[in-house]
Amino acid sequence: GYPIEIQALWHAALSLLAAIETGAAAARWQNRADRVRDAVIERFYLAERGYLADVLIGPPGVRADEAHIDDALRPNQLFALTLGLITAPAMGRGILSACERLLVPGAIRSLADGPVTRPLEIIHQGRVGVFCLSLFMVTSKIRSSMRSSRSCVEHRFLSNI
């Protein structure tokens, strides 16, 4: 399958290469990063739910545009937000708002309660863990600090979330 966190890491790597290269090489890397962003928004964004699909499911060799969407709410999509893959304020707000449903005291659940359209073929009980809680906390902390510090460049995006 195609997990959202892998797409976020791939986009971050391409963006880093675009930032450290110059000239035509930088433009090529940026073009690839932009294509990844466009593909993720097209294939992963669940507009009616306001968040990203966790994974596109398919056997080996199946292209992403032919894979099935796992519509379960999981915190892995926070990687897309914290690594800069998702920059649209409305999408960012939707992702954070949706992920708030996963919060429990001191941790974040790995799966929201409720039915899913296409359950994963693995046993997944929505166990509590701190794995993605730090991403949620970092994003929330950035939002909070940016409200008090207008000098940050990133403020343009995160203050609107």
Side-chain angles (χ1 to χ4, degrees):
Y2 301 87
I4 189 61
E5 62 270 26
I6 300 302
Q7 310 320 304
L9 289 167
W10 177 232
H11 178 268
L14 293 170
S15 296
L16 174 65
L17 289 169
I20 61 175
E21 287 285 355
T22 59
R28 278 193 306 275
W29 291 120
Q30 188 59 55
N31 180 288
R32 289 178 182 169
D34 292 344
R35 287 177 34 213
V36 168
R37 173 178 283 126
D38 293 345
V40 164
I41 291 170
E42 177 185 333
R43 294 184 177 103
F44 284 81
Y45 185 59
L46 305 171
E48 69 284 356
R49 295 181 184 216
Y51 61 83
L52 299 171
D54 181 54
V55 65
L56 303 179
I57 303 167
V62 170
R63 296 172 12 148
D65 59 355
E66 298 169 346
H68 299 283
I69 294 173
D70 172 10
D71 61 351
L73 174 58
R74 294 189 178 88
N76 301 19
Q77 64 189 300
L78 292 171
F79 285 104
L81 187 60
T82 58
L83 292 175
L85 175 57
I86 299 299
T87 57
M91 281 187 191
R93 283 190 301 273
I95 290 168
L96 287 176
S97 178
C99 286
E100 285 178 355
R101 298 190 338 225
L102 299 169
L103 293 177
V104 296
I108 190 167
R109 291 175 53 93
S110 61
L111 176 64
D113 290 330
V116 294
T117 303
R118 185 177 177 87
L120 292 175
E121 296 177 7
I122 59 171
I123 297 172
H124 195 287
Q125 300 295 327
R127 295 187 183 105
V128 173
V130 295
F131 173 65
C132 288
L133 179 62
S134 60
L135 288 175
F136 187 86
M137 292 173 67
V138 165
T139 304
S140 296
K141 185 167 179 72
I142 289 170
R143 285 175 54 202
S144 175
S145 67
M146 295 225 183
R147 285 187 185 121
S148 62
S149 173
R150 299 280 183 189
S151 64
C152 294
V153 173
E154 294 88 3
H155 179 270
R156 287 184 215 141
F157 165 66
L158 291 173
S159 68
N160 294 321
I161 297 177

